Amino acid sequence: MSTPRPVLVVDFGAQYAQLIARRVREAKVYSEIVPHTMPVAEMLAKNPAAIILSGGPASVYAPGAPQVDAGMFTAGVPVFGICYGFQAMAQALGGTVAHTGNREYGGTPLQARPEAGVLLKDLPADLPVWMSHGDCVTEAPAGFTVTAESAGAPVAAFEDLVGRRAGVQFHPEVGHTAHGQEMLTRFLYEIAGIEPTWTPENIIDEQVARIREQVGEKEVICGLSGGVDSAVAAALVHKAVGDQLTCVFVDHGLLRAGEAEQVEKDYVAATGIKLKVVDARDRFLGALAGVTDPEQKRKIIGREFIRVFEAAAREIAAHGDVEFLVQGTLYPDVVESGGGTGTANIKSHHNVGGLPEDLKFALVEPLRALFKDEVRTLGLQLGLPEEMVWRHPFPGPGLAIRIIGAVDEERLALLRKADLIARQELTAAGLDRDVWQFPVVLLADVRSVGVQGDGRSYGHPVVLRPVSSEDAMTADWSRLPYDVIARISTRITNEVAEVNRVVLDVTSKPPGTIEWE
Ligand code: XMP
């Protein structure tokens, strides 16, 4: 099976391109993000099924504002313009865009003419939509029918069914726009005539075929972190090449309760994968002894991890012809490292699994085109345990950075207990999927006075840090129900000796980070 023809989402530099690309995929249509600086000829060379022009921060009048090359409209490819993309499209096709002074930001009522076209067909005539614009289209280009208006936008939606083009001033991709996904779907299926074939089954089949082609008869290794990305990547490769794959799991002793077992037993049982577990707990704890500085901890863990992994890889390679290394790179990583958009939104990837160049393996990255939610769907489809697929993100350096102070066996055991209680209560309350992550932090260098049993105690505080987030770049503290917090607090102080206080972190990110360190 060949890669499907992509719907290209042209990124005009705001936050919307990734969201649009995800919404397109939710409609079971494959999408890719490209920068607006990519020449139209290059876009067309990708044989796109359609092009979507995203919103952007600029005014089409601003000096240097990105324009749309009119060549895009002569190639017969269906085009959908959103917000800035809508205005740029109108301008390129000979319509009029004006500064009217009528700004609209946020929820705005739209007056639609559902009967006038396809995009808004059968939808209510009064629709709340999400707007964010200063300029507006005052005259649609020739051949276009105007299908909606708002107080600040005389032309708020238009379409030209013959030319298979449409556009909207508002943002159909955000949840605040009623029926937004339906509009996007209408464009894809009814105006552009695309079939919804991007399904988990098809993705698996396609990736399996690709991996087989890439790897041939050679041996492959994969480092498992316990996280969902590497687990799904390895499961896909295993489906493709079976026992040519060996996985390595380094137990650095900084994991949470039950995690090593989850990989060693449940994952292997679900997949039948060949797994080499390296018990490196003593080595890591030895190297970390007495170290309190978080950066120092990270460096030590990174260094030891690479040494252990390399040694394991060499051992495996000694028995065969290992040429490939599997990595669970996701599409947002590719986009953010400049592989997709060229925008300046670079996230620093502080993975402990960052392996040295001189390992000299070719990379197999079967998740490079996928978003996290798609990876989870694939994981379930591949039969991985639910607890693994829905696992919250967990930092590579593990509990070492959730102990503020030096790391030792005793403190790790203590934090593991507190962390397990928090997780158990969150799960019991049915709230696992309502929080992005729930770090529990031990302030090992702080003591305070309390009263426990019959006497005075002098113990450590534990911090609860439940957060909600879309992508970990920003986050807010989760408003968990007080009775859940109360149960966690009571259980921790009752069941974990040495802890006599539980506090809740109510800081957003920024200014805080998710982890404490
Ligand atoms: P911060 O604390 O910077 O964390 O707000 C953002 C996200 O990254 C995770 N994190 C890591 N993940 N290796 C990882 O794989 C690391 O070294 C690391 N440090 C932080 C953190 O848990 C949160 O999801």
Side-chain angles (χ1 to χ4, degrees):
M1 188 182 177
S2 59
T3 314
R5 291 173 67 193
V7 166
L8 297 183
V9 179
V10 181
D11 184 357
F12 280 105
Q15 308 295 317
Y16 308 108
Q18 285 208 24
L19 193 53
I20 297 170
R22 280 179 47 195
R23 296 281 180 256
V24 171
R25 290 170 181 219
E26 281 165 21
K28 300 189 169 58
V29 172
Y30 178 62
S31 61
E32 279 180 18
I33 299 166
V34 295
H36 67 82
T37 48
M38 180 182 276
V40 167
E42 218 174 295
M43 293 183 197
L44 296 178
K46 288 174 172 281
N47 192 20
I51 295 177
I52 298 181
L53 307 172
S54 83
S59 156
V60 283
Y61 285 113
Q67 306 292 322
V68 175
D69 180 340
M72 183 180 289
F73 303 104
T74 53
V77 178
V79 180
F80 188 41
I82 293 176
C83 191
Y84 182 85
F86 169 69
Q87 296 176 2
M89 175 178 179
Q91 202 174 46
L93 288 168
T96 313
V97 181
H99 275 306
T100 56
N102 289 335
R103 290 157 174 272
E104 286 176 306
Y105 290 108
T108 306
L110 185 79
Q111 284 79 52
R113 270 177 244 132
E115 71 296 342
V118 166
L119 207 64
L120 306 172
K121 192 178 62 190
D122 303 330
L123 299 183
D126 291 313
L127 274 177
V129 299
W130 194 257
M131 292 274 198
S132 173
H133 68 106
D135 306 337
C136 66
V137 177
T138 50
E139 214 176 303
F144 281 77
T145 308
V146 178
T147 58
E149 64 182 282
S150 70
V155 180
F158 59 39
E159 56 193 72
D160 160 18
L161 297 179
V162 177
R164 299 195 295 168
R165 301 181 281 223
V168 291
Q169 179 58 67
F170 49 88
H171 289 275
E173 73 277 20
V174 305
H176 309 285
T177 292
H179 302 284
Q181 183 66 7
E182 271 170 82
M183 298 174 200
L184 208 52
T185 307
R186 290 262 170 79
F187 168 74
L188 295 168
Y189 300 169
E190 297 184 34
I191 298 181
I194 302 171
E195 298 280 336
T197 55
W198 178 251
T199 59
E201 297 79 11
N202 285 347
I203 300 172
I204 291 174
D205 288 350
E206 182 202 320
Q207 285 306 325
V208 162
R210 275 192 185 203
I211 295 164
R212 285 198 181 128
E213 194 184 342
Q214 184 187 5
V215 169
E217 302 292 315
K218 299 283 186 346
E219 298 285 318
V220 191
I221 59 167
C222 176
L224 289 179
S225 67
V228 59
D229 303 343
S230 60
V232 174
L236 263 175
V237 173
H238 184 253
K239 192 173 167 66
V241 299
D243 276 352
Q244 283 164 251
L245 170 72
T246 307
C247 288
V248 179
F249 175 62
V250 178
D251 182 354
H252 53 21
L254 308 167
L255 297 165
R256 303 195 284 182
E259 287 187 321
E261 293 78 7
Q262 195 177 64
V263 175
E264 281 193 69
K265 298 203 182 79
D266 304 350
Y267 184 68
V268 171
T271 57
I273 271 173
K274 257 196 303 190
L275 178 68
K276 183 181 177 71
V277 179
V278 187
D279 180 354
R281 289 177 294 180
D282 291 344
R283 177 177 183 144
F284 278 85
L285 288 191
L288 283 169
V291 179
T292 55
D293 177 68
E295 279 308 302
Q296 195 66 20
K297 285 181 191 170
R298 282 177 174 281
K299 283 208 183 88
I300 292 170
I301 295 165
R303 183 192 71 210
E304 294 301 318
F305 187 90
I306 286 165
R307 281 190 191 156
V308 174
F309 186 86
E310 276 187 314
R314 258 185 250 111
E315 249 176 67
I316 295 165
H319 303 298
D321 205 3
V322 181
E323 274 189 26
F324 295 95
L325 175 71
V326 180
Q327 294 229 302
T329 317
L330 302 192
Y331 193 51
D333 306 334
V334 176
V335 173
E336 278 160 13
S337 327
T341 65
T343 46
N345 179 19
I346 311 288
K347 184 162 83 182
S348 62
H349 291 287
H350 35 200
N351 249 319
V352 156
L355 298 167
E357 294 275 312
D358 60 3
L359 259 178
K360 299 254 168 31
F361 293 116
L363 294 182
V364 179
E365 299 182 302
L367 312 180
R368 253 184 100 81
L370 305 182
F371 289 103
K372 191 93 174 178
D373 38 359
E374 294 176 311
V375 170
R376 291 205 158 113
T377 308
L378 282 201
L380 293 173
Q381 189 80 23
L382 288 163
L384 300 191
E386 288 234 355
E387 312 80 70
M388 186 166 246
V389 168
W390 286 106
R391 189 175 180 265
H392 291 163
F394 184 66
L399 298 179
I401 58 166
R402 292 185 180 171
I403 292 175
I404 309 305
V407 177
D408 63 32
E409 199 85 72
E410 208 177 314
R411 290 173 167 185
L412 282 166
L414 207 150
L415 179 54
R416 252 185 224 116
K417 266 196 208 160
D419 175 81
L420 182 62
I421 291 169
R423 279 194 287 153
Q424 284 171 339
E425 292 299 332
L426 192 73
T427 305
L431 295 171
D432 282 344
R433 298 194 194 167
D434 291 0
V435 310
W436 167 267
Q437 226 175 323
F438 189 172
V440 176
V441 182
L442 173 66
L443 304 186
D445 284 350
V446 178
R447 277 175 181 270
S448 72
V449 174
V451 50
Q452 273 170 310
D454 295 329
R456 174 185 187 277
S457 67
Y458 193 46
H460 299 291
V462 150
V463 180
L464 307 180
R465 175 70 169 142
V467 292
S468 52
S469 176
E470 284 268 329
D471 54 7
M473 303 289 287
T474 60
D476 196 5
W477 59 280
S478 302
R479 273 54 163 184
L480 291 184
Y482 279 169
D483 54 345
V484 175
I485 305 237
R487 270 199 300 279
I488 295 173
S489 167
T490 307
R491 278 194 59 195
I492 291 180
T493 47
N494 281 349
E495 296 173 33
V496 187
E498 296 284 322
V499 175
N500 63 352
R501 234 172 251 278
V502 175
V503 302
L504 179 66
D505 184 348
V506 292
T507 320
S508 60
K509 170 184 179 175
T513 51
I514 294 176
E515 304 291 346
W516 269 52
E517 314 206 22

